[in-house]
Amino acid sequence: MFLNNALILAAIYLGLKGSIRVWKQQAKTDAIVLLLFYLVIIVYLNPFMSSSKLTLESLGKIIYGPISDHMIDLLKIRMED
């Protein structure tokens, strides 16, 4: 939990610092993209979203779950609970 909070604070600091530096160089779209990138990192590291975090396993379920369900239904395989 401490590491998570430290990474969130580091992302906030680096995101703001980098975006302000890029903004001063008159690259406003790059600064906005950089802020959005760090915002994604902050939201991902947010401990309140632990149940909905996108992991490799959940991504596999999202991608292959409907395909697997369709194949099980198509082949009429009965699953035991």
Side-chain angles (χ1 to χ4, degrees):
M1 188 66 157
F2 175 73
L3 179 63
N4 213 16
N5 291 337
L7 289 174
I8 289 173
L9 288 175
I12 291 170
Y13 172 74
L14 291 173
L16 288 175
K17 180 181 176 186
S19 295
I20 290 170
R21 183 175 48 86
V22 172
W23 188 277
K24 287 180 181 177
Q25 295 173 354
Q26 302 300 322
K28 297 187 185 333
T29 55
D30 291 345
I32 292 170
V33 169
L34 187 63
L35 269 177
L36 289 175
F37 175 72
Y38 277 105
L39 183 66
V40 167
I41 292 172
I42 292 166
V43 168
Y44 183 76
L45 291 173
N46 190 352
F48 302 112
M49 294 190 55
S50 61
S51 62
S52 63
K53 270 189 185 171
L54 185 64
T55 60
L56 195 56
E57 183 179 351
S58 66
L59 184 63
K61 286 181 183 177
I62 291 170
I63 294 173
Y64 298 114
I67 297 169
S68 175
D69 292 340
H70 176 70
M71 290 304 293
I72 288 171
D73 186 44
L74 187 67
L75 297 173
K76 297 186 181 4
I77 298 173
R78 281 186 256 157
M79 301 294 290
E80 294 182 13
D81 291 330

Coordinates of all heavy atoms in Angstrom, one line a residue:
M1 N 0.8 -1.2 0.0 CA 0.0 0.0 0.0 C 0.9 1.3 0.0 O 0.6 2.2 -0.7 CB -0.9 0.0 1.2 CG -1.9 1.0 1.2 SD -3.1 0.8 -0.1 CE -4.5 1.6 0.5
F2 N 2.0 1.2 0.8 CA 2.9 2.3 0.8 C 3.5 2.6 -0.5 O 3.7 3.7 -1.0 CB 3.9 2.1 1.9 CG 5.0 3.2 1.9 CD1 4.6 4.5 2.4 CD2 6.2 3.0 1.5 CE1 5.6 5.5 2.4 CE2 7.2 4.0 1.5 CZ 6.8 5.3 2.0
L3 N 3.9 1.5 -1.2 CA 4.6 1.6 -2.5 C 3.6 2.1 -3.5 O 4.0 3.0 -4.3 CB 5.1 0.2 -2.9 CG 5.7 0.1 -4.3 CD1 7.0 1.0 -4.3 CD2 6.0 -1.3 -4.7
N4 N 2.3 1.7 -3.4 CA 1.3 2.2 -4.3 C 1.1 3.7 -4.2 O 1.1 4.5 -5.1 CB 0.0 1.5 -4.0 CG -0.8 1.3 -5.2 OD1 -0.3 1.4 -6.3 ND2 -2.1 1.0 -5.0
N5 N 1.1 4.2 -2.9 CA 0.9 5.6 -2.7 C 2.1 6.4 -3.1 O 2.0 7.5 -3.7 CB 0.6 5.9 -1.2 CG -0.7 5.4 -0.8 OD1 -1.6 5.2 -1.6 ND2 -0.9 5.1 0.5
A6 N 3.3 5.8 -2.9 CA 4.5 6.5 -3.4 C 4.6 6.6 -4.9 O 5.0 7.6 -5.4 CB 5.8 5.7 -2.9
L7 N 4.1 5.6 -5.6 CA 4.1 5.6 -7.0 C 3.1 6.6 -7.5 O 3.3 7.3 -8.5 CB 3.8 4.2 -7.6 CG 4.9 3.2 -7.5 CD1 4.5 1.8 -7.9 CD2 6.2 3.6 -8.2
I8 N 1.9 6.7 -6.8 CA 0.9 7.7 -7.2 C 1.5 9.1 -7.1 O 1.3 10.0 -7.9 CB -0.4 7.5 -6.4 CG1 -1.1 6.2 -6.9 CG2 -1.3 8.7 -6.6 CD1 -2.3 5.9 -6.0
L9 N 2.1 9.4 -5.9 CA 2.7 10.7 -5.7 C 3.8 11.0 -6.7 O 3.9 12.1 -7.2 CB 3.3 10.8 -4.3 CG 2.2 10.9 -3.2 CD1 2.9 10.8 -1.8 CD2 1.4 12.1 -3.3
A10 N 4.6 10.0 -7.0 CA 5.7 10.2 -8.1 C 5.1 10.5 -9.4 O 5.5 11.4 -10.2 CB 6.6 9.0 -8.1
A11 N 4.0 9.8 -9.8 CA 3.3 10.1 -11.0 C 2.7 11.5 -11.1 O 2.8 12.1 -12.1 CB 2.3 9.0 -11.3
I12 N 2.1 11.9 -10.0 CA 1.5 13.2 -9.9 C 2.7 14.3 -10.1 O 2.5 15.2 -10.9 CB 0.8 13.5 -8.6 CG1 -0.5 12.6 -8.6 CG2 0.4 14.9 -8.4 CD1 -1.2 12.6 -7.3
Y13 N 3.7 14.1 -9.4 CA 4.8 15.1 -9.4 C 5.5 15.1 -10.8 O 5.6 16.2 -11.4 CB 5.9 14.7 -8.4 CG 7.2 15.5 -8.5 CD1 7.2 16.8 -8.1 CD2 8.3 15.0 -9.0 CE1 8.3 17.6 -8.2 CE2 9.5 15.7 -9.1 CZ 9.5 17.0 -8.7 OH 10.6 17.8 -8.8
L14 N 5.8 13.9 -11.4 CA 6.4 13.9 -12.7 C 5.5 14.4 -13.8 O 5.9 15.0 -14.7 CB 6.9 12.5 -13.0 CG 8.1 12.0 -12.1 CD1 8.4 10.5 -12.4 CD2 9.3 12.8 -12.4
G15 N 4.2 14.0 -13.7 CA 3.3 14.4 -14.7 C 3.1 15.9 -14.7 O 3.1 16.6 -15.8
L16 N 3.0 16.6 -13.5 CA 2.8 18.0 -13.5 C 4.1 18.7 -13.9 O 4.1 19.7 -14.7 CB 2.4 18.5 -12.1 CG 1.0 18.1 -11.7 CD1 0.8 18.5 -10.2 CD2 0.0 18.8 -12.6
K17 N 5.3 18.2 -13.4 CA 6.5 18.8 -13.7 C 6.8 18.8 -15.2 O 7.2 19.7 -15.9 CB 7.7 18.1 -13.0 CG 9.0 18.7 -13.2 CD 10.1 18.0 -12.4 CE 11.5 18.5 -12.8 NZ 12.5 17.7 -12.2
G18 N 6.6 17.6 -15.8 CA 6.9 17.4 -17.2 C 5.9 18.2 -18.1 O 6.3 18.8 -19.1
S19 N 4.6 18.2 -17.7 CA 3.6 18.9 -18.5 C 3.9 20.4 -18.5 O 3.7 21.1 -19.5 CB 2.2 18.6 -18.0 OG 1.9 17.2 -18.2
I20 N 4.2 21.0 -17.3 CA 4.5 22.4 -17.2 C 5.7 22.7 -18.1 O 5.8 23.7 -18.8 CB 4.7 22.8 -15.8 CG1 3.4 22.7 -15.0 CG2 5.3 24.2 -15.7 CD1 3.5 22.9 -13.5
R21 N 6.8 21.9 -18.0 CA 8.0 22.1 -18.8 C 7.7 22.1 -20.3 O 8.1 23.0 -21.1 CB 9.1 21.1 -18.5 CG 10.4 21.3 -19.2 CD 11.5 20.4 -18.8 NE 11.0 19.0 -18.8 CZ 11.1 18.2 -19.8 NH1 11.5 18.6 -21.0 NH2 10.7 16.9 -19.7
V22 N 6.9 21.1 -20.8 CA 6.5 21.0 -22.2 C 5.6 22.1 -22.6 O 5.7 22.7 -23.7 CB 5.9 19.6 -22.5 CG1 5.3 19.5 -23.8 CG2 6.9 18.5 -22.2
W23 N 4.7 22.5 -21.7 CA 3.7 23.6 -22.0 C 4.5 24.9 -22.2 O 4.1 25.7 -23.1 CB 2.8 23.8 -20.8 CG 1.6 24.7 -21.0 CD1 1.7 26.1 -20.9 CD2 0.3 24.4 -21.5 NE1 0.5 26.6 -21.2 CE2 -0.4 25.6 -21.6 CE3 -0.3 23.2 -21.8 CZ2 -1.7 25.7 -22.0 CZ3 -1.6 23.3 -22.2 CH2 -2.3 24.5 -22.3
K24 N 5.5 25.2 -21.4 CA 6.3 26.4 -21.6 C 7.1 26.4 -22.9 O 7.5 27.5 -23.4 CB 7.3 26.6 -20.4 CG 6.6 27.0 -19.1 CD 7.6 27.1 -18.0 CE 7.0 27.5 -16.7 NZ 7.9 27.6 -15.6
Q25 N 7.3 25.2 -23.5 CA 8.0 25.2 -24.8 C 7.0 25.3 -25.9 O 7.4 25.0 -27.1 CB 8.7 23.8 -24.9 CG 9.9 23.7 -23.9 CD 10.5 22.3 -24.0 OE1 10.0 21.4 -24.7 NE2 11.5 22.1 -23.2
Q26 N 5.8 25.7 -25.6 CA 4.8 26.0 -26.6 C 4.3 24.7 -27.3 O 3.8 24.8 -28.4 CB 5.2 27.0 -27.7 CG 5.7 28.3 -27.1 CD 4.6 29.0 -26.3 OE1 3.4 29.0 -26.7 NE2 4.9 29.7 -25.2
A27 N 4.5 23.6 -26.7 CA 4.0 22.3 -27.3 C 2.8 21.9 -26.4 O 2.8 21.0 -25.6 CB 5.0 21.2 -27.3
K28 N 1.7 22.6 -26.6 CA 0.5 22.4 -25.7 C -0.2 21.0 -25.9 O -0.6 20.4 -24.9 CB -0.5 23.5 -25.9 CG 0.1 24.9 -25.5 CD -0.9 26.0 -25.6 CE -0.3 27.3 -25.3 NZ 0.8 27.5 -24.5
T29 N -0.2 20.6 -27.1 CA -0.9 19.2 -27.3 C 0.0 18.1 -26.7 O -0.5 17.2 -26.1 CB -1.1 18.9 -28.8 OG1 0.2 19.1 -29.5 CG2 -2.1 19.9 -29.4
D30 N 1.3 18.3 -26.8 CA 2.2 17.3 -26.1 C 2.0 17.3 -24.6 O 2.0 16.3 -24.0 CB 3.6 17.5 -26.5 CG 3.9 17.3 -27.9 OD1 3.1 16.6 -28.6 OD2 5.0 17.7 -28.4
A31 N 1.8 18.5 -24.1 CA 1.6 18.6 -22.6 C 0.3 18.0 -22.2 O 0.3 17.3 -21.1 CB 1.7 20.1 -22.2
I32 N -0.7 18.1 -23.0 CA -2.0 17.5 -22.6 C -1.9 16.0 -22.7 O -2.4 15.3 -21.9 CB -3.1 18.1 -23.5 CG1 -3.3 19.6 -23.2 CG2 -4.4 17.3 -23.4 CD1 -4.2 20.3 -24.2
V33 N -1.2 15.5 -23.8 CA -1.1 14.1 -23.9 C -0.3 13.5 -22.8 O -0.6 12.4 -22.2 CB -0.4 13.7 -25.3 CG1 0.0 12.3 -25.3 CG2 -1.3 14.1 -26.4
L34 N 0.8 14.2 -22.3 CA 1.6 13.8 -21.2 C 0.8 13.7 -19.9 O 0.9 12.8 -19.1 CB 2.8 14.7 -21.0 CG 3.8 14.3 -20.0 CD1 4.5 12.9 -20.4 CD2 4.9 15.3 -19.9
L35 N -0.1 14.7 -19.7 CA -1.0 14.7 -18.6 C -1.9 13.6 -18.6 O -2.2 12.9 -17.6 CB -1.7 16.0 -18.5 CG -1.1 17.2 -17.7 CD1 -2.0 18.4 -17.8 CD2 -0.9 16.8 -16.3
L36 N -2.5 13.3 -19.7 CA -3.4 12.2 -19.9 C -2.7 10.8 -19.6 O -3.3 9.9 -19.0 CB -4.1 12.2 -21.2 CG -5.1 13.3 -21.5 CD1 -5.6 13.2 -22.9 CD2 -6.2 13.2 -20.5
F37 N -1.5 10.7 -20.1 CA -0.7 9.5 -19.8 C -0.5 9.3 -18.3 O -0.7 8.2 -17.8 CB 0.6 9.6 -20.6 CG 1.5 8.4 -20.3 CD1 1.3 7.2 -20.8 CD2 2.7 8.6 -19.5 CE1 2.1 6.1 -20.5 CE2 3.5 7.6 -19.2 CZ 3.2 6.3 -19.7
Y38 N -0.1 10.3 -17.6 CA 0.1 10.2 -16.2 C -1.2 10.0 -15.5 O -1.3 9.3 -14.4 CB 0.9 11.4 -15.6 CG 2.4 11.2 -15.8 CD1 3.1 11.9 -16.8 CD2 3.1 10.3 -15.0 CE1 4.4 11.7 -17.0 CE2 4.4 10.1 -15.2 CZ 5.1 10.8 -16.2 OH 6.4 10.7 -16.4
L39 N -2.3 10.6 -16.0 CA -3.6 10.3 -15.4 C -4.0 8.9 -15.5 O -4.6 8.3 -14.5 CB -4.6 11.2 -16.1 CG -6.0 11.2 -15.5 CD1 -6.0 11.7 -14.0 CD2 -7.0 11.9 -16.3
V40 N -3.7 8.2 -16.6 CA -4.0 6.8 -16.7 C -3.2 6.0 -15.7 O -3.7 5.1 -15.0 CB -3.7 6.3 -18.1 CG1 -3.7 4.8 -18.2 CG2 -4.7 6.9 -19.1
I41 N -2.0 6.4 -15.5 CA -1.1 5.7 -14.5 C -1.7 5.9 -13.1 O -1.8 4.9 -12.3 CB 0.3 6.2 -14.6 CG1 1.0 5.7 -15.9 CG2 1.2 5.7 -13.4 CD1 2.3 6.3 -16.2
I42 N -2.1 7.1 -12.8 CA -2.6 7.4 -11.4 C -3.9 6.6 -11.2 O -4.1 6.1 -10.1 CB -2.8 8.9 -11.3 CG1 -1.4 9.6 -11.2 CG2 -3.6 9.2 -10.0 CD1 -1.5 11.1 -11.4
V43 N -4.8 6.6 -12.2 CA -6.0 5.9 -12.0 C -5.8 4.4 -11.9 O -6.4 3.7 -11.1 CB -7.0 6.2 -13.2 CG1 -8.2 5.2 -13.2 CG2 -7.5 7.6 -13.1
Y44 N -4.8 3.9 -12.6 CA -4.5 2.4 -12.5 C -4.0 2.1 -11.2 O -4.3 1.0 -10.6 CB -3.5 2.0 -13.6 CG -3.2 0.6 -13.6 CD1 -4.2 -0.3 -14.1 CD2 -2.1 0.1 -13.1 CE1 -3.9 -1.7 -14.1 CE2 -1.8 -1.3 -13.0 CZ -2.7 -2.2 -13.5 OH -2.5 -3.5 -13.5
L45 N -3.2 3.0 -10.6 CA -2.5 2.7 -9.3 C -3.5 3.0 -8.1 O -3.1 2.7 -7.0 CB -1.2 3.5 -9.2 CG -0.1 3.0 -10.1 CD1 1.1 4.0 -9.9 CD2 0.3 1.6 -9.7
N46 N -4.6 3.6 -8.4 CA -5.5 4.0 -7.3 C -6.0 2.8 -6.6 O -6.6 1.9 -7.2 CB -6.7 4.8 -7.9 CG -7.6 5.4 -6.9 OD1 -7.4 5.2 -5.7 ND2 -8.5 6.2 -7.3
P47 N -5.8 2.7 -5.3 CA -6.2 1.5 -4.5 C -7.7 1.3 -4.4 O -8.1 0.2 -4.2 CB -5.6 1.8 -3.1 CG -5.4 3.2 -3.0 CD -5.2 3.7 -4.4
F48 N -8.5 2.3 -4.7 CA -9.9 2.2 -4.6 C -10.5 1.4 -5.8 O -11.6 1.0 -5.9 CB -10.6 3.5 -4.5 CG -10.2 4.3 -3.3 CD1 -9.5 5.4 -3.4 CD2 -10.5 3.8 -2.0 CE1 -9.1 6.1 -2.3 CE2 -10.1 4.5 -0.9 CZ -9.3 5.6 -1.0
M49 N -9.7 1.3 -6.9 CA -10.1 0.6 -8.1 C -9.5 -0.8 -8.2 O -9.4 -1.4 -9.2 CB -9.7 1.4 -9.3 CG -10.3 2.7 -9.4 SD -10.1 3.5 -11.0 CE -10.6 2.2 -12.1
S50 N -9.1 -1.4 -7.1 CA -8.5 -2.7 -7.1 C -9.3 -3.8 -7.7 O -8.8 -4.7 -8.3 CB -8.0 -3.1 -5.7 OG -9.1 -3.2 -4.8
S51 N -10.7 -3.7 -7.5 CA -11.5 -4.8 -8.1 C -11.7 -4.7 -9.6 O -12.0 -5.6 -10.2 CB -12.9 -4.7 -7.4 OG -13.5 -3.5 -7.7
S52 N -11.4 -3.5 -10.1 CA -11.6 -3.3 -11.6 C -10.3 -3.0 -12.3 O -10.3 -2.6 -13.4 CB -12.6 -2.2 -11.8 OG -12.0 -1.0 -11.3
K53 N -9.2 -3.3 -11.7 CA -7.9 -3.1 -12.3 C -7.8 -4.1 -13.5 O -8.2 -5.2 -13.5 CB -6.8 -3.4 -11.4 CG -6.3 -2.2 -10.6 CD -5.0 -2.5 -9.9 CE -4.7 -1.3 -9.1 NZ -3.6 -1.6 -8.2
L54 N -7.2 -3.5 -14.6 CA -7.0 -4.3 -15.8 C -5.7 -5.1 -15.6 O -4.6 -4.4 -15.6 CB -7.0 -3.5 -17.0 CG -6.9 -4.2 -18.3 CD1 -8.1 -5.0 -18.6 CD2 -6.8 -3.2 -19.5
T55 N -5.7 -6.4 -15.5 CA -4.5 -7.2 -15.4 C -4.5 -8.1 -16.6 O -5.4 -8.1 -17.4 CB -4.6 -8.1 -14.1 OG1 -5.7 -8.9 -14.2 CG2 -4.6 -7.2 -12.9
L56 N -3.4 -8.8 -16.8 CA -3.3 -9.7 -17.9 C -4.4 -10.8 -17.8 O -5.0 -11.2 -18.9 CB -1.9 -10.4 -17.9 CG -1.5 -11.1 -19.1 CD1 -1.5 -10.1 -20.3 CD2 -0.1 -11.6 -19.0
E57 N -4.7 -11.3 -16.6 CA -5.7 -12.3 -16.5 C -7.1 -11.7 -16.8 O -7.9 -12.4 -17.6 CB -5.7 -12.8 -15.1 CG -6.7 -13.9 -14.8 CD -6.7 -14.5 -13.4 OE1 -5.8 -14.1 -12.7 OE2 -7.6 -15.2 -13.1
S58 N -7.4 -10.5 -16.4 CA -8.7 -10.0 -16.7 C -8.8 -9.6 -18.1 O -9.9 -9.7 -18.7 CB -9.0 -8.8 -15.8 OG -8.1 -7.7 -16.1
L59 N -7.7 -9.2 -18.7 CA -7.7 -8.9 -20.2 C -8.0 -10.2 -21.0 O -8.7 -10.2 -22.0 CB -6.4 -8.3 -20.6 CG -6.3 -7.8 -22.0 CD1 -7.3 -6.7 -22.3 CD2 -4.9 -7.3 -22.3
G60 N -7.4 -11.3 -20.5 CA -7.6 -12.6 -21.2 C -9.1 -13.0 -21.1 O -9.7 -13.5 -22.0
K61 N -9.7 -12.7 -19.9 CA -11.1 -13.1 -19.8 C -12.0 -12.2 -20.6 O -13.0 -12.7 -21.2 CB -11.5 -12.9 -18.3 CG -11.0 -14.0 -17.4 CD -11.5 -13.8 -16.0 CE -10.9 -14.8 -15.0 NZ -11.3 -14.6 -13.6
I62 N -11.6 -10.9 -20.8 CA -12.4 -10.0 -21.6 C -12.3 -10.5 -23.1 O -13.3 -10.5 -23.8 CB -11.9 -8.6 -21.4 CG1 -12.3 -8.1 -20.1 CG2 -12.5 -7.7 -22.5 CD1 -11.6 -6.7 -19.7
I63 N -11.1 -10.8 -23.5 CA -10.9 -11.2 -24.9 C -11.5 -12.6 -25.2 O -12.2 -12.8 -26.2 CB -9.4 -11.1 -25.3 CG1 -9.0 -9.6 -25.2 CG2 -9.2 -11.6 -26.7 CD1 -7.5 -9.4 -25.4
Y64 N -11.1 -13.5 -24.4 CA -11.4 -14.9 -24.8 C -12.6 -15.5 -24.1 O -13.1 -16.6 -24.5 CB -10.2 -15.8 -24.4 CG -8.9 -15.4 -25.2 CD1 -7.8 -14.9 -24.6 CD2 -8.9 -15.6 -26.6 CE1 -6.7 -14.6 -25.3 CE2 -7.8 -15.2 -27.3 CZ -6.7 -14.7 -26.7 OH -5.6 -14.4 -27.4
G65 N -13.2 -14.8 -23.1 CA -14.4 -15.3 -22.5 C -15.6 -15.5 -23.4 O -16.2 -16.6 -23.4
P66 N -15.9 -14.5 -24.2 CA -17.1 -14.7 -25.1 C -16.8 -15.8 -26.2 O -17.7 -16.5 -26.5 CB -17.2 -13.3 -25.8 CG -16.6 -12.3 -24.9 CD -15.5 -13.1 -24.2
I67 N -15.6 -15.9 -26.6 CA -15.2 -16.9 -27.6 C -15.3 -18.3 -26.9 O -15.9 -19.2 -27.5 CB -13.8 -16.7 -28.1 CG1 -13.7 -15.4 -28.9 CG2 -13.4 -17.9 -29.0 CD1 -12.3 -14.9 -29.2
S68 N -14.9 -18.4 -25.7 CA -15.0 -19.7 -25.0 C -16.4 -20.0 -24.7 O -16.8 -21.2 -24.9 CB -14.2 -19.6 -23.7 OG -14.4 -20.7 -22.9
D69 N -17.2 -19.1 -24.3 CA -18.6 -19.3 -24.1 C -19.3 -19.8 -25.3 O -20.2 -20.7 -25.3 CB -19.3 -18.1 -23.5 CG -18.8 -17.8 -22.1 OD1 -18.3 -18.7 -21.4 OD2 -19.0 -16.6 -21.7
H70 N -19.0 -19.1 -26.4 CA -19.6 -19.5 -27.7 C -19.2 -20.9 -28.1 O -20.1 -21.7 -28.6 CB -19.2 -18.5 -28.8 CG -19.7 -18.8 -30.2 ND1 -21.1 -18.7 -30.5 CD2 -19.1 -19.3 -31.3 CE1 -21.2 -19.1 -31.8 NE2 -20.0 -19.4 -32.3
M71 N -18.0 -21.2 -28.0 CA -17.5 -22.6 -28.4 C -18.1 -23.7 -27.5 O -18.5 -24.7 -28.0 CB -16.0 -22.7 -28.3 CG -15.3 -21.9 -29.4 SD -15.8 -22.3 -31.1 CE -15.2 -23.9 -31.2
I72 N -18.3 -23.4 -26.2 CA -18.9 -24.3 -25.3 C -20.4 -24.5 -25.7 O -20.9 -25.7 -25.7 CB -18.7 -23.9 -23.8 CG1 -17.3 -24.0 -23.4 CG2 -19.7 -24.6 -22.9 CD1 -17.0 -23.4 -22.0
D73 N -21.0 -23.4 -26.0 CA -22.4 -23.5 -26.4 C -22.6 -24.2 -27.8 O -23.5 -25.1 -28.0 CB -23.0 -22.1 -26.5 CG -24.5 -22.1 -26.8 OD1 -25.2 -23.0 -26.1 OD2 -25.0 -21.3 -27.6
L74 N -21.7 -23.9 -28.7 CA -21.7 -24.5 -30.0 C -21.5 -26.0 -30.0 O -22.1 -26.8 -30.7 CB -20.7 -23.8 -30.9 CG -20.6 -24.2 -32.4 CD1 -21.9 -23.7 -33.0 CD2 -19.4 -23.6 -33.1
L75 N -20.5 -26.4 -29.2 CA -20.2 -27.9 -29.0 C -21.1 -28.6 -28.0 O -20.9 -29.8 -27.8 CB -18.7 -28.0 -28.7 CG -17.7 -27.5 -29.7 CD1 -16.3 -27.5 -29.2 CD2 -17.8 -28.2 -31.0
K76 N -22.0 -27.8 -27.4 CA -22.9 -28.4 -26.4 C -22.2 -29.2 -25.3 O -22.5 -30.3 -25.0 CB -23.9 -29.3 -27.1 CG -24.8 -28.5 -28.1 CD -25.9 -29.3 -28.6 CE -26.8 -28.6 -29.6 NZ -26.5 -27.3 -30.1
I77 N -21.2 -28.5 -24.8 CA -20.4 -29.1 -23.7 C -21.1 -28.7 -22.4 O -21.4 -27.5 -22.1 CB -19.0 -28.6 -23.7 CG1 -18.3 -29.1 -25.0 CG2 -18.2 -29.1 -22.5 CD1 -16.9 -28.5 -25.2
R78 N -21.3 -29.7 -21.5 CA -21.9 -29.4 -20.2 C -20.8 -29.2 -19.2 O -20.0 -30.0 -19.0 CB -22.8 -30.5 -19.8 CG -24.2 -30.4 -20.4 CD -25.1 -31.4 -19.9 NE -25.2 -32.5 -20.9 CZ -25.5 -33.8 -20.7 NH1 -25.8 -34.1 -19.5 NH2 -25.5 -34.6 -21.6
M79 N -20.9 -28.0 -18.5 CA -19.9 -27.7 -17.5 C -20.4 -28.1 -16.1 O -21.6 -27.8 -15.8 CB -19.5 -26.2 -17.5 CG -19.0 -25.7 -18.9 SD -17.4 -26.4 -19.3 CE -16.4 -25.6 -18.1
E80 N -19.6 -28.7 -15.3 CA -20.0 -29.0 -13.9 C -19.6 -27.8 -13.0 O -18.6 -27.1 -13.2 CB -19.2 -30.2 -13.4 CG -19.6 -31.5 -14.1 CD -18.8 -32.7 -13.5 OE1 -18.2 -32.5 -12.4 OE2 -18.9 -33.7 -14.2
D81 N -20.5 -27.5 -12.1 CA -20.3 -26.3 -11.2 C -19.5 -26.7 -10.1 O -19.3 -27.6 -9.6 CB -21.6 -25.7 -10.8 CG -22.4 -25.1 -11.9 OD1 -21.7 -24.6 -12.8 OD2 -23.6 -25.1 -11.9

